Amino acid sequence: MDAINSQGEDVPAAARRHRVVIIGSGFGGLTAAQQLEDADVDVTLVAMTGHHLFQPLLYQVATGILSVGEIAPSTRLVLRDQKNVTVTLGEVDQIDVAARTVHAQAGHVDFTLEYDSLIVAAGANQSYFGNDHFERWAPGMKTIDDALELRGRILGSFELAELTEDPEERRKLLTFVVVGGGPTGVEMAGQIGELANRTLKNSFRRIDPAEARIILLDAAPGLLPPFGEKLGKAAQKRLEELGVEVMLNAMVTDVDATGVEVKEEDGTTHRITTACKIWSAGVQASPLGKMIADQTEAEVDRAGRVQVTKDLSVPGHPEIFVIGDMMSLDKLPGVSPVAIQGAKHVAKHITREVAGKQTPADRPPFKYFDKGSMATVSRYSAVVKMGGIEFHGFFAWVMWLLVHLAFLIGFRNRLATLFSWGMHIVGDHRSHLSSTARFVYGRRAIDRVYGEEIPRSRIDPTS
């Protein structure tokens, strides 16, 4: 069968180079494309957004510290000098393992890509544990749209509280509930606390933002479980100093427009009345994982992650690799270093096999080098776990800043982020506190017009 090359011309099968299709432009997908720069392959990277999102800093967009552009550079521009890569916008809706094809769509355009090697790095979405209707009232924190919507909801709550004459309505508007005690939930609760107690101080005439009630809920007995009890308690103490109420062993059983229902450890339930809810309690891998598993010998775990072999390939299909948040192997966490190291491992072996230096049977197993974990709690406070070493406070916070700055793509983005952080640290200025009603209500309007099942790429191919 003939294929279509990157210029859209028919190429005889015998004359074409090895074709690598990468699904996803996150840490795994982008790193894999970059690592194949010197390989004798043609790479097509297909993703449903045109940017590479630095997701760990998304909460800072939601709370006005950083702009979207600082953490989401254009994938096309990042890879424009890499001549063997073609960047394609599209949402993959079908993978045919037997035919070795990927079908995708962007706007009104449908297209099919053929591959010799496939790298699936489509990431994960927010999980509501079977209660997907919660999303309407409690957005997650996985996309730029989520961050902008939450920014609008947070700022809008303060604005409406300034206007209302009803004390009960004001209390509801000034109550913020964050669900999930992992890094994202802790970081988000801390930033709302700083926003209320510092940034917005003296900026309203009828309300005191410091009177805001900020609640962090988690069904677990402690915050930041992967970091251990000591660091979890340190994070909790710092949050409580900011005025955040930490409720542990508390499971959310329902979410609606005006509040959340919470079930305590003893089985009792109570309701928290709140206008602004934020969900960060779990993740679910892309449905592409199950699509692959249904056609192969692979299995998926409860989170939808594909259980890969030791070399990160799909059982029985050495030409298909699954990396990042979509893979399940040795209980590795869904963090960016795992995705980056996995991408490098896969790209290395594709390069060697195309050059005839090894066969799939010769691949060594993937070995993850754990450089540690870190999370920021507030200004001047973070927690860091590096092997058996645990510490928190100012030094941990400085380390967090340096590591995240290094992981950003491009000198300009690093410089702009450093400037924004400097303004925030020195004078508590947040330069990106703008919001519009479209940020808040846009998703609901789209759902009403198009229906909730329509693929995202058909609604806005540039989102």
Side-chain angles (χ1 to χ4, degrees):
M1 179 186 294
D2 287 351
I4 303 297
N5 69 5
S6 59
Q7 284 74 42
E9 301 167 348
D10 290 334
V11 179
R16 67 180 178 234
R17 294 205 295 181
H18 188 93
R19 301 161 301 182
V20 180
V21 171
I22 301 172
I23 303 175
S25 60
F27 288 106
L30 185 65
T31 301
Q34 292 172 323
Q35 291 294 308
L36 289 167
E37 181 175 11
D38 297 324
D40 187 24
V41 299
D42 287 319
V43 179
T44 301
L45 187 150
V46 56
M48 60 185 183
T49 65
H51 55 261
H52 164 70
L53 179 61
F54 192 90
Q55 203 172 84
L57 293 179
L58 202 56
Y59 77 96
Q60 294 199 6
V61 173
T63 53
I65 298 173
L66 299 178
S67 72
V68 168
E70 288 163 1
I71 69 164
S74 165
T75 309
R76 191 173 295 279
L77 296 184
V78 172
L79 295 172
R80 65 180 171 183
D81 294 329
Q82 193 169 329
K83 301 305 181 184
N84 68 336
V85 174
T86 298
V87 177
T88 305
L89 183 71
E91 182 173 6
V92 173
D93 58 8
Q94 185 178 348
I95 298 174
D96 190 327
V97 172
R100 295 195 178 188
T101 60
V102 170
H103 180 270
Q105 50 188 294
H108 63 280
V109 178
D110 291 8
F111 58 95
T112 299
L113 301 169
E114 298 178 347
Y115 65 84
D116 298 304
S117 294
L118 176 65
I119 302 174
V120 186
N125 303 311
Q126 203 71 62
S127 173
Y128 290 84
F129 308 107
N131 300 293
D132 292 346
H133 58 287
F134 288 2
E135 182 182 14
R136 181 179 182 187
W137 310 113
M141 184 66 71
K142 290 295 180 183
T143 68
I144 288 174
D145 289 337
D146 292 337
L148 294 178
E149 180 176 354
L150 286 171
R151 185 199 295 176
R153 290 189 180 211
I154 294 167
L155 297 177
S157 293
F158 285 107
E159 295 293 345
L160 293 177
E162 173 84 345
L163 294 173
T164 185
E165 301 286 348
D166 184 347
E168 288 296 324
E169 179 69 11
R170 181 173 291 171
R171 273 191 289 272
K172 182 184 78 172
L173 289 165
L174 290 179
T175 299
F176 301 86
V177 172
V178 181
V179 183
T184 301
V186 167
E187 290 165 346
M188 196 68 191
Q191 284 305 313
I192 297 175
E194 288 197 352
L195 194 66
N197 290 287
R198 297 179 62 91
T199 306
L200 298 179
K201 185 178 181 180
N202 299 325
S203 60
F204 291 88
R205 299 296 173 260
R206 302 180 63 194
I207 65 168
D208 179 2
E211 294 179 356
R213 185 186 182 196
I214 304 158
I215 304 170
L216 178 60
L217 296 169
D218 197 280
L223 297 181
L224 303 172
F227 288 75
E229 183 178 357
K230 174 184 174 182
L231 294 182
K233 288 184 175 179
Q236 180 174 345
K237 180 181 178 181
R238 177 57 187 147
L239 287 174
E240 289 172 344
E241 290 172 351
L242 288 170
V244 177
E245 299 177 37
V246 178
M247 296 185 181
L248 301 172
N249 296 304
M251 179 183 297
V252 174
T253 58
D254 196 17
V255 181
D256 56 34
T258 60
V260 298
E261 297 285 342
V262 180
K263 182 179 180 180
E264 301 289 351
E265 188 177 18
D266 60 7
T268 61
T269 62
H270 68 278
R271 181 176 177 81
I272 301 174
T273 302
T274 170
C276 186
K277 288 82 64 179
I278 301 165
W279 192 275
S280 63
V283 294
Q284 183 74 21
S286 164
L288 295 180
K290 186 176 187 307
M291 186 182 298
I292 293 172
D294 288 344
Q295 302 175 66
T296 66
E297 303 170 10
E299 297 180 355
V300 294
D301 63 14
R302 293 177 60 185
R305 297 174 298 184
V306 179
Q307 295 182 3
V308 296
T309 63
K310 294 294 184 179
D311 64 2
L312 307 187
S313 67
V314 172
H317 288 271
E319 78 281 5
I320 303 176
F321 301 91
V322 179
I323 61 176
D325 292 349
M326 288 191 63
M327 78 171 190
S328 174
L329 178 68
D330 299 334
K331 298 182 179 180
L332 292 174
V335 294
S336 55
V338 173
I340 292 170
Q341 292 181 38
K344 291 179 178 179
H345 175 87
V346 168
K348 175 183 177 180
H349 295 303
I350 290 176
T351 301
R352 290 180 59 82
E353 287 163 22
V354 169
K357 296 181 179 180
Q358 71 175 39
T359 67
D362 300 325
R363 295 174 187 166
F366 172 62
K367 294 182 179 180
Y368 174 59
F369 176 60
D370 188 357
K371 299 178 181 178
S373 303
M374 54 183 63
T376 182
V377 183
S378 66
R379 177 170 34 188
Y380 308 140
S381 178
V383 294
V384 173
K385 181 179 178 68
M386 301 174 64
I389 303 174
E390 300 178 355
F391 55 100
H392 60 89
F394 179 77
F395 181 66
W397 175 77
V398 172
M399 179 177 288
W400 181 94
L401 289 177
L402 294 175
V403 169
H404 283 70
L405 197 64
F407 269 87
L408 282 169
I409 300 294
F411 174 77
R412 181 191 175 281
N413 284 342
R414 294 190 186 103
L415 186 62
T417 298
L418 188 61
F419 178 78
S420 295
W421 282 349
M423 294 293 289
H424 171 59
I425 294 166
V426 174
D428 201 26
H429 295 293
R430 299 181 188 232
S431 303
H432 308 285
L433 287 176
S434 58
S435 182
T436 71
R438 292 190 181 188
F439 290 171
V440 180
Y441 301 113
R443 171 162 37 184
R444 296 188 209 170
I446 289 171
D447 289 345
R448 283 197 299 270
V449 174
Y450 293 100
E452 296 183 4
E453 299 302 320
I454 188 167
R456 186 180 309 175
S457 62
R458 288 196 180 278
I459 297 170
D460 181 1
T462 64
S463 66

